[in-house]
Amino acid sequence: MARRSRKSAAEGVVELSSHFPWWVGVVGALVAYLVFAVMAGQPSAPTAGAPQQISSAIFGSVIRTVATVAQYLVPFLLLLGAIISYVRQRKGASLVGAATGASAAQRISGMSWREFELLIAEAFRRKGYTVRDQGGQGPDGGIDLVVLKGKERFLVQCKQWRALKVGVTVVRELFGVMSAEGATGGFVVTSG
């Protein structure tokens, strides 16, 4: 079972934003700024009166203070994720270009495992799938990518091996994870 490291809320927002196309992060940042700016600009309630009015005024003040900070912080984090997404997309596109040239097999075998995953992710994107990267540092639970097409969810295991064959164990492990996750199907992609 994969161990999950604890992440801050800020890291979670950046990571989530980086899994979407870059333009989604930019639009999200704009919307977040506008929503929080409206919340921060709300007029304060009168403080004199019944205890309910005082607690309402305090609550409103806290909301406005949080919104004032969030109107800059959340869009910044979303834009940071959009930049990461853009860089991944560009790198994936350049890897696809390199992998389709004359000496493609040599270039693919010379790639690192991370570059190979980026290549496969870009190939699925070009086939019309929405791709979520599951790999990265540490254990990934037997899957590297989750690809979505419509309501169907597929799991992808990338094996950047120099060997000519991937053993049946890898396929069985993927099948077990597919069953546990309730995925529609799965792919084992190898460079061997």
Side-chain angles (χ1 to χ4, degrees), residues 92-114:
S94 72
L95 288 171
V96 168
T100 57
S103 59
Q106 245 181 353
R107 288 185 180 155
I108 289 173
S109 67
M111 289 180 182
S112 70
W113 64 269
R114 186 66 184 134

Side-chain angles (χ1 to χ4, degrees), residues 8-28:
S8 70
E11 289 172 324
V13 170
V14 171
E15 183 177 341
L16 179 67
S17 177
S18 72
H19 288 302
F20 290 103
W22 66 269
W23 58 268
V24 172
V26 172
V27 170

Side-chain angles (χ1 to χ4, degrees), residues 127-147:
K127 291 288 185 183
Y129 289 88
T130 302
V131 179
R132 283 190 313 181
D133 185 5
Q134 293 293 112
Q137 308 301 347
D140 55 20
I143 55 173
D144 297 308
L145 304 169
V146 175
V147 295

Side-chain angles (χ1 to χ4, degrees), residues 171-186:
V171 177
R172 286 184 183 147
E173 287 173 0
L174 178 62
F175 183 73
V177 174
M178 283 171 32
S179 298
E181 298 279 328
T184 304

